[in-house]
Amino acid sequence: MQYSSSARGVSALAERAPAPLLVLAGVSGIQFGAALAPLAYPQAGAAGVVFLRLLIAGVLLCLLWRPGCHTLTETKGSWKTVLAAGTLLAGHHIAFFEAVDHIPLGIVATIEFLGPFTIALVGSRRLIDLLPAFLAAGGVIMLSGTGTGPLPPAGLALAAAAACCWAGYILASSRMATRLGGGQGLAVAISWAALLSAPYGIAHAGSDLLDPKVLGIAAIVAVASSMLPYTLNLEALRRIPPRVFSVLTSLEPAAGALFGLLILGQRLGTTQWLGITAVAGASTLASLNLSFMVRRRTGPKLRRRFPISRDV
């Protein structure tokens, strides 16, 4: 399988980094882009920014990984998995960015975390596995307090839809990570998501998609919030199960609140800062719990399922 030299460099760098660090970097990139994207809403709206973001990221990933049809045909069920991941990603982006246009970013990220939180609960088999999830849930509840009165129902519904799509994408992406090497599947998935979002974006933004400011913001968001984070997340899902990955993403509400403050000027109260501390603690506890589990259970079966878990 022939990758570009840049792709081989990205893979080598990602393989040396601990899995929790990859998830943290991915979370930070996604929320940074989510905070930056609204700066282009006056010209292109959420629909236009989503389409451009996915389009630019898809083109760059295709140039990086050079996907070929034969790669996906060689493994049974790969096409279905990749197209499902792309469809869920398109739905997530549209719902998430439209929600940010209605309610604060930190609140959207909080509601979105309910999707991964559900995966963490369903996938838990021991009581100790539930502790980080419940700690994260408590932090999410504290973080969601706005003190600004009722939130728009449309924004809440869109954030809930984003949560469902994000949970589905984590599961589809986990299967894609185990079936396909490199980022070829991811490149096809994001390109498919761009194609699905094209009618929506073009219909709402029209010629504003060619505005230099919109293109510039979309390019930054595409690289920082799509191309790099999803590549890092895919590598992390090759090492850790979806349940642990989902708990580690409990940092999303905290990252969303911080970038919302720094870029959009959305201020937080004391309770919300306590919530940030709680979700950060949950993520740290999940990482320590995984490390302890790997040291205690180093049998062949575990190593076959998570061959690089020793880096965590």
Side-chain angles (χ1 to χ4, degrees):
M1 196 176 296
Q2 295 296 320
Y3 301 144
S4 68
S5 57
S6 299
R8 289 193 294 270
V10 170
S11 294
L13 184 62
E15 286 174 2
R16 287 194 295 267
L21 183 60
L22 296 178
V23 179
L24 175 60
V27 163
S28 300
I30 290 171
Q31 296 304 320
F32 168 75
L36 191 64
L39 300 180
Y41 284 3
Q43 288 83 17
V49 173
V50 166
F51 167 58
L52 284 178
R53 166 187 175 168
L54 290 172
L55 177 64
I56 295 171
V59 170
L60 292 176
L61 282 170
C62 285
L63 292 174
L64 184 67
W65 291 106
R66 302 174 184 172
C69 290
H70 65 281
T71 305
L72 300 181
T73 354
E74 286 173 355
T75 308
K76 185 179 179 181
S78 291
W79 273 109
K80 290 182 180 179
T81 302
V82 168
L83 294 181
T87 302
L88 289 165
L89 200 58
H92 167 266
H93 277 47
I94 292 172
F96 187 92
F97 282 87
E98 287 286 2
V100 171
D101 201 24
H102 291 79
I103 56 181
L105 173 59
I107 309 306
V108 177
T110 298
I111 297 172
E112 182 206 34
F113 172 68
L114 295 178
F117 177 67
T118 302
I119 295 177
L121 287 181
V122 172
S124 298
R125 293 180 176 85
R126 304 177 304 164
L127 180 61
I128 194 172
D129 294 334
L130 298 176
L131 294 180
F134 281 114
L135 179 60
V140 163
I141 292 172
M142 288 187 286
L143 188 58
S144 63
T146 61
T148 58
L151 297 171
L156 294 174
L158 287 166
C164 295
C165 290
W166 187 233
Y169 173 77
I170 289 174
L171 296 177
S173 184
S174 177
R175 176 172 292 190
M176 185 169 63
T178 56
R179 291 188 174 192
L180 298 168
Q184 293 196 342
L186 179 64
V188 175
I190 291 188
S191 299
W192 173 245
L195 183 63
L196 291 178
S197 64
Y200 180 71
I202 294 172
H204 283 76
S207 60
D208 288 331
L209 293 172
L210 302 177
D211 184 282
K213 178 184 176 182
V214 173
L215 285 172
I217 293 176
I220 296 173
V221 172
V223 174
S225 188
S226 289
M227 181 181 172
L228 292 178
Y230 291 125
T231 299
L232 298 178
N233 286 346
L234 193 68
E235 182 60 38
L237 283 165
R238 290 194 173 103
R239 309 184 194 181
I240 55 178
R243 173 186 58 79
V244 178
F245 178 90
S246 299
V247 174
L248 290 175
T249 60
S250 63
L251 287 171
E252 283 207 11
L258 286 173
F259 283 118
L261 170 65
L262 296 174
I263 298 177
L264 301 175
Q266 298 169 345
R267 297 189 175 277
L268 303 175
T270 304
T271 303
Q272 292 169 313
W273 283 113
L274 290 174
I276 288 177
T277 304
V279 293
S283 183
T284 303
L285 184 59
S287 302
L288 294 175
N289 185 27
L290 176 61
S291 179
F292 176 76
M293 179 185 70
V294 171
R295 289 191 179 95
R296 288 290 301 273
R297 299 174 59 191
T298 55
K301 183 177 179 181
L302 182 64
R303 289 190 180 280
R304 281 199 301 271
R305 286 190 65 195
F306 313 116
I308 319 179
S309 293
R310 62 182 181 274
D311 293 337
V312 179

